[in-house]
Amino acid sequence: MNNIPMLDLKAEYALLKDEIEPAVCAALAACQYIGGPNVKAFEAEAAAYAGAGHAIACASGTDALLIALRAIGLGPGDEVITTPFTFVATASTVVMCGAKPVFVDIDPRTFNLDLAQVEAAITPATRAIVPVHIFGQPVQLAPLKALCAKHGLKLIEDAAQSFGADYAGRKSGAYGDIGCTSFYPSKNLSAFGDGGLMLTDDDRLAAEMRVLASHGSRVRYHHHVLGYNSRLDEIQAVILRVKLKRLDHFNERRIAIANSYNVQLAGLVETPFADGHGRHVYHQYTILSDQRDAIQKVLTESGIACAVYYPVPLHRQEMFAATHGDVKLPVTERVAQRCLSLPISPMLKDEQIRHIVGAIRQALA
Ligand SMILES: *Cc1c(COP(=O)(O)O)cnc(C)c1O
């Protein structure tokens, strides 16, 4: 069998090229590379899809988080409660605002924030909670929203891995005060480069985020606040419009693949736990095993890609050593030692799944 990648972008491209290539060529010929009609149309389509009042496109998921945090007025002396088991941008953007991330340990089954530990981490300096729907599984947002209401905090969803997931009848990213997502090529809805999006129902926050993403300018060449040059370009918007129409279909296929893995891997490893509070869209399919390193070795030798997301929790990162060096989060640390993400892609074939499971069985024999 041929090598199996984590995510089969080539197969996806082959499937979509007849639609994407003429649309990209039309945008090239139209020459409106910045602020063009496809960006506006994509924002409208993404807002309608997510059921949010406003969708504001920007240059990356990292920028979406940074701009959202700036829009709520985050600054020096403030604290933000978030998870240590995520990509670095969830917390680095807090530091970029001059504020401090406060890491709360995770639930050992969902890998999402342990809701029972969040309230104890709230201090007079806390301004926001930033849950991450890790690997595509929605965090239970209702209890977090209640905590935010009780303590006067903002709820900002990091939905970079969960676009298209559902929770309480709403799309991921459309439940909190602001939802941020990423169109990095590996994400469930992905561009052919970088891109990001902020969702909100709040007119004032939406206006503020547009200003921040556009050099802090409300009126052209008049700059009210320190802003950024953060734009989605026209070509990426064209590609995202084509792919947004396929997102639900692709997410359904990810769920079917995860269900197939679950059946075939039962008893061999700890398969992902879906808590049933929302629709998990399996950005990653992540198993736990005490034999993680042995499995990883055999898969790699067999030409099957696999990855440890994340080997170093954020409170253990060198960049946080000075501020968080004494933080101990035992559940996160143990998950980081035992987790392994297997190939998952809407394009993964049933015989490839069987081949991957066979290699895992061999590793454990
Ligand atoms: C990918 C990702 C980001 C950052 O998105 P970029 O578009 O790469 O800047 C932020 N948070 C999480 C959880 C991510 O997975």
Side-chain angles (χ1 to χ4, degrees):
M1 178 152 314
N2 289 335
N3 288 356
I4 303 178
M6 279 304 278
L7 172 65
D8 198 346
L9 285 178
K10 285 191 176 149
E12 199 183 295
Y13 186 68
L15 186 75
L16 300 178
K17 75 191 278 273
D18 288 347
E19 202 175 337
I20 287 179
E21 287 180 358
V24 167
C25 287
L28 291 178
C31 298
Q32 277 185 270
Y33 304 128
I34 295 291
N38 281 287
V39 174
K40 288 186 194 76
F42 174 67
E43 287 183 336
E45 288 158 9
Y49 173 83
H54 305 270
I56 298 132
C58 66
S60 69
T62 304
D63 277 8
L65 288 163
L66 176 60
I67 291 165
L69 293 168
R70 286 283 317 280
I72 65 160
L74 195 74
D78 294 338
E79 293 177 0
V80 171
I81 294 173
T82 192
T83 168
F85 195 63
T86 178
F87 181 63
V88 67
T90 311
S92 61
T93 48
V94 172
V95 180
M96 287 175 204
C97 294
K100 183 185 169 197
V102 173
F103 299 115
V104 167
D105 213 348
I106 59 171
D107 179 303
R109 296 187 303 172
T110 63
F111 313 139
N112 277 329
L113 269 179
D114 182 351
L115 300 175
Q117 297 191 42
V118 172
E119 189 161 23
I122 296 173
T123 74
T126 309
R127 296 290 312 277
I129 303 176
V130 181
V132 181
H133 309 291
I134 202 73
F135 305 147
Q137 169 145 254
V139 175
Q140 289 180 53
L141 294 172
L144 288 182
K145 194 170 219 169
L147 271 186
C148 286
K150 181 174 162 194
H151 294 273
L153 313 177
K154 294 286 189 217
L155 182 62
I156 298 180
E157 294 175 64
D158 182 340
Q161 302 188 1
S162 60
F163 203 56
D166 303 308
Y167 171 80
R170 302 219 62 175
K171 285 286 175 205
S172 196
Y175 189 97
D177 294 290
I178 303 173
C180 300
T181 198
S182 160
F183 304 124
Y184 181 83
S186 70
K187 302 294 158 92
N188 289 38
L189 176 61
S190 63
F192 293 179
D194 279 308
L197 190 76
M198 290 84 75
L199 297 167
T200 186
D201 281 337
D202 184 313
D203 298 344
R204 197 194 58 77
L205 285 175
E208 190 64 24
M209 290 192 286
R210 280 213 187 273
V211 166
L212 285 165
S214 174
H215 299 282
S217 164
R218 246 172 242 126
V219 178
R220 206 165 197 195
Y221 303 125
H222 296 257
H223 304 277
H224 313 270
V225 290
L226 177 66
Y228 311 95
N229 171 8
S230 189
R231 300 185 278 237
L232 184 72
D233 73 67
E234 184 74 356
I235 308 296
Q236 301 304 336
V238 166
I239 293 157
L240 288 165
R241 290 185 71 194
V242 172
K243 292 177 107 185
L244 179 60
K245 290 186 279 178
R246 263 44 170 241
L247 179 62
D248 284 341
H249 173 72
F250 281 170
N251 280 340
E252 287 304 333
R253 178 68 191 142
R254 284 175 182 269
I255 293 167
I257 291 165
N259 289 337
S260 176
Y261 267 133
N262 285 346
V263 170
Q264 296 183 59
L265 288 171
L268 288 175
V269 297
E270 290 166 49
T271 55
F273 174 77
D275 70 8
H277 285 281
R279 191 171 73 131
H280 188 333
V281 292
Y282 295 95
H283 172 64
Q284 297 297 340
Y285 183 88
T286 304
I287 61 169
L288 295 176
S289 174
D290 292 336
Q291 311 298 315
R292 192 267 309 273
D293 294 346
I295 296 171
Q296 188 173 21
K297 184 164 177 286
V298 170
L299 290 180
T300 305
E301 286 166 3
S302 312
I304 300 166
C306 59
V308 175
Y309 303 121
Y310 294 92
V312 184
L314 296 190
H315 66 290
R316 291 287 189 191
Q317 294 286 348
E318 198 180 335
M319 66 178 278
F320 290 122
T323 46
H324 296 74
D326 55 354
V327 174
K328 292 207 171 34
L329 301 168
V331 176
T332 302
E333 284 157 35
R334 183 141 171 73
V335 168
Q337 286 167 359
R338 300 179 72 234
C339 64
L340 186 67
S341 297
L342 302 181
I344 189 155
S345 150
M347 301 295 132
L348 198 66
K349 298 189 186 72
D350 292 341
E351 69 257 30
Q352 291 178 309
I353 300 173
R354 284 195 294 275
H355 181 64
I356 295 163
V357 172
I360 293 173
R361 189 169 284 122
Q362 184 197 326
L364 295 172

